[in-house]
Amino acid sequence: MAQAGDTDILTDFIVPENRTGDTIDGNFFTFTGTRGIFGNIITNFKVTKASKAEFPALDGQSTSLAVLQFPGGGVNPPHTHPRAAELLFVVEGCLEVGLVDSTNKLYTQTLQIGDMFVFPKGLVHYQYNSDWNKSATAVSAFGSANAGTVSIPISLFDTGVDDQILAKSFKTDVATIQKIKAGL
């Protein structure tokens, strides 16, 4: 069995290689990348991440966060997080969510403000704002400083997998695969 996750650290926190412990202050533990994102009108699905890459203080802490903003009709396409479960908390609007387990069973739910939904580590899932007249916002917490995201549409149609292989896999023709690719 293979597993992926954050390793335990042997110190209180990890000091980045380009710094020393005596140069660390409260700013190191503060992330300001989500300032000003709330209340804005958005026209496309947007993710604002606070993971190890954006917030180095998370290194070794086994946690990260993302703010997901959906315009009316916006979707976060099917994807997985190979290194962490995701706990989604709706703070504005409503979202339709779904996950597919390892037996290919689909679980769906409509979430309202204040609702939470857990997406188990590694399982395919999505979120969709079906209300074309209102935006929706959710905050996702992850059990890893780098949960990773594998977008299913991009992984299949925008990474160079041969069109013939995709056509055979989806029991269609190359022209249909090329139309899908053009839409991405």
Side-chain angles (χ1 to χ4, degrees):
M1 178 182 353
Q3 290 193 356
D6 293 354
T7 57
D8 287 333
I9 61 174
L10 301 176
T11 58
D12 293 336
F13 55 90
I14 296 174
V15 177
E17 290 182 18
N18 62 344
R19 300 196 50 187
T20 62
D22 57 344
T23 64
I24 300 293
D25 61 15
N27 290 316
F28 176 71
F29 300 99
T30 304
F31 181 73
T32 60
T34 51
R35 282 186 187 167
I37 67 169
F38 296 99
N40 295 332
I41 296 174
I42 59 166
T43 56
N44 295 309
F45 171 69
K46 180 181 176 188
V47 178
T48 304
K49 293 181 181 181
S51 68
K52 176 179 153 180
E54 298 82 16
F55 189 11
L58 295 179
D59 192 7
Q61 300 303 317
S62 299
T63 191
S64 59
L65 184 128
V67 177
L68 311 172
Q69 296 174 292
F70 300 81
V75 65
N76 187 3
H79 62 282
T80 67
H81 302 290
R83 293 182 290 276
E86 174 181 357
L87 181 61
L88 180 109
F89 177 63
V90 178
V91 296
E92 175 190 21
C94 294
L95 288 174
E96 293 182 18
V97 300
L99 71 86
V100 179
D101 73 9
S102 60
T103 67
N104 291 322
K105 182 175 179 183
L106 174 65
Y107 297 86
T108 62
Q109 188 64 269
T110 300
L111 304 177
Q112 299 177 26
I113 294 173
D115 291 346
M116 286 189 272
F117 194 88
V118 65
F119 301 104
K121 178 171 40 176
L123 295 185
V124 174
H125 60 279
Y126 64 88
Q127 300 98 22
Y128 172 59
N129 178 7
S130 64
D131 187 337
W132 285 81
N133 298 311
K134 292 183 183 175
S135 60
T137 303
V139 176
S140 287
F142 299 93
S144 171
N146 182 9
T149 301
V150 178
S151 170
I152 305 304
I154 302 255
S155 294
L156 289 174
F157 298 104
D158 199 26
T159 56
V161 176
D162 185 84
D163 290 353
Q164 288 287 347
I165 293 170
L166 292 172
K168 287 181 183 279
S169 298
F170 286 97
K171 297 181 180 14
T172 190
D173 55 44
V174 170
T176 300
I177 297 300
Q178 290 174 342
K179 282 182 185 176
I180 293 170
K181 285 183 171 185
L184 294 176

